[in-house]
Amino acid sequence: MSTEIHGIIAYPVTPFGADGGIDTAALTGLVDTLVNTGAHAIAPLGSTGEAAYLSEDEFDTVVEATVDAVGGRVPVIVGAGDLTTANTIRRARKAEQAGATAVMVLPVSYWKLNDREIATHYAAIGAAIGIPIMAYNNPATSGVDMSPELLVQMFGDVDNLTMVKESTGDLNRMLALRELSGGQLPYYNGSNPLVLDALTAGATGWCTAAPNLRPQPCLDLYAAVRAGDTERARVIYDELAPLLRFIVAGGLPSTVKAGLELLGRGVGDPRRPLLPLDDAGRAELRGLLDDAGRAELRGLLG
């Protein structure tokens, strides 16, 4: 398996069974479908995967089940962020031991972290594992906003911090990462509505939950940008954009799980305090998942 991380990096939800625990069979099936439908990498245990609401045993179960389901076919990037450095290291080591390709680290904060604390946090994680780290900047969920200058500094200081996922939705930050690193630091788009501009501006990949619901347009959009076919890329993006905006605005675990249920592949409700999508939201989502989209996924599922 190539360890190059590029393209469509698909984020599976975490399925829960009737007893409230991890439904490993459903997770295995979901991950297998994402790989079979063309995802270039799988990234469990991010915001979409409800990592913040799992116990450590459940975290470990999802890591093991995902790595096993992928079976070495594509890279696996495990979200390992936690409030403390010690437990982030525990999670990162678990991912490495299970066979993950890399870890994605979101610096989660209760007290607002300063740059020195953030840099020390990443340096400790880097020293504790031997696989690459994707630094994940998403201040909307973490409470920490890492500047391009800090990210490039850590890229130089931490040997295995080799890439950045930028989710602020600010294209200028991606351009700054490229300029400040002399084009050496790969950056990945984590803002679904920004994807066309980000890929056109040189993002190495798109980290997204959208392939759970509409895999083919995601792949087609990436391929069109790579081929320099801007007209086709715009057409695909314009068709996909309403769904992208909806799943982000409604909360990825709730909207994606509702969409999977509407497509005949229920994976349980999100975990409290998150709630299932309400009736109005489900009606809107049903309209966005038009007949073509439902046929697309059902055909791929066989």
Side-chain angles (χ1 to χ4, degrees):
M1 178 198 74
S2 170
T3 58
E4 179 190 2
I5 297 171
H6 72 283
I8 302 302
I9 302 169
Y11 284 73
V13 295
T14 298
F16 297 117
D19 63 355
I22 306 296
D23 186 339
T24 53
L27 177 59
T28 295
L30 182 59
V31 169
D32 192 55
T33 297
L34 289 169
V35 175
N36 287 339
T37 53
H40 299 100
I42 301 294
L45 296 164
S47 306
T48 303
E50 300 179 71
Y53 307 127
L54 303 184
S55 71
E56 293 307 296
D57 285 346
E58 289 174 327
F59 177 94
D60 293 352
T61 295
V62 172
V63 171
E64 292 167 355
T66 302
V67 172
D68 287 349
V70 170
R73 291 175 288 172
V74 297
V76 176
I77 311 160
V78 171
D82 193 56
L83 273 169
T84 68
T85 302
N87 203 51
T88 304
I89 288 173
R90 191 211 75 80
R91 290 180 167 193
R93 284 175 168 163
K94 174 62 184 181
E96 181 175 25
Q97 291 163 2
T101 310
V103 292
M104 180 180 68
V105 175
L106 178 74
V108 186
S109 175
Y110 180 86
W111 295 105
K112 183 177 176 60
L113 303 180
N114 60 41
D115 284 1
R116 182 170 67 93
E117 290 167 332
I118 295 167
T120 302
H121 179 67
Y122 277 96
I125 299 161
I129 60 174
I131 57 177
I133 298 170
M134 174 185 282
Y136 178 15
N137 190 45
N138 190 354
T141 57
S142 71
V144 176
D145 190 2
M146 297 184 286
S147 69
E149 290 80 6
L150 175 61
L151 289 163
V152 172
Q153 173 197 317
M154 294 192 299
F155 175 60
D157 293 344
V158 181
D159 287 345
N160 51 344
L161 195 161
T162 61
M163 49 195 158
V164 171
K165 176 185 173 185
E166 173 55 58
S167 295
T168 59
D170 182 354
L171 183 64
N172 288 328
R173 289 178 178 244
M174 295 186 187
L175 299 178
L177 288 170
R178 181 174 64 192
E179 180 179 353
L180 291 168
S181 70
Q184 297 303 302
L185 175 55
Y187 54 90
Y188 299 75
N189 174 61
S191 171
N192 282 302
L194 187 68
V195 59
L196 178 58
D197 290 341
L199 290 175
T200 302
T204 302
W206 175 20
C207 304
T208 178
N212 289 281
L213 305 178
R214 295 294 307 278
Q216 197 59 51
C218 298
L219 295 163
D220 291 345
L221 176 59
Y222 176 70
V225 173
R226 286 280 293 251
D229 191 343
T230 56
E231 182 176 352
R232 175 166 167 73
R234 171 58 66 180
V235 169
I236 297 167
Y237 174 78
D238 287 346
E239 188 273 333
L240 193 57
L243 176 65
L244 298 179
R245 289 192 291 266
F246 179 88
I247 63 175
V248 172
L252 291 168
S254 298
T255 55
V256 173
K257 286 187 171 183
L260 285 167
E261 184 179 357
L262 289 170
L263 292 167
R265 194 167 197 189
V267 290
D269 291 337
R271 179 166 283 179
R272 301 289 180 90
L274 301 181
L275 292 173
L277 199 61
D278 62 20
D279 290 343
R282 287 172 63 87
E284 184 175 354
L285 182 55
R286 185 178 290 109
L288 292 169
L289 295 172
D290 58 17
D291 291 341
R294 288 195 293 271
E296 168 197 321
L297 187 59
R298 284 174 177 162
L300 290 167
L301 291 174

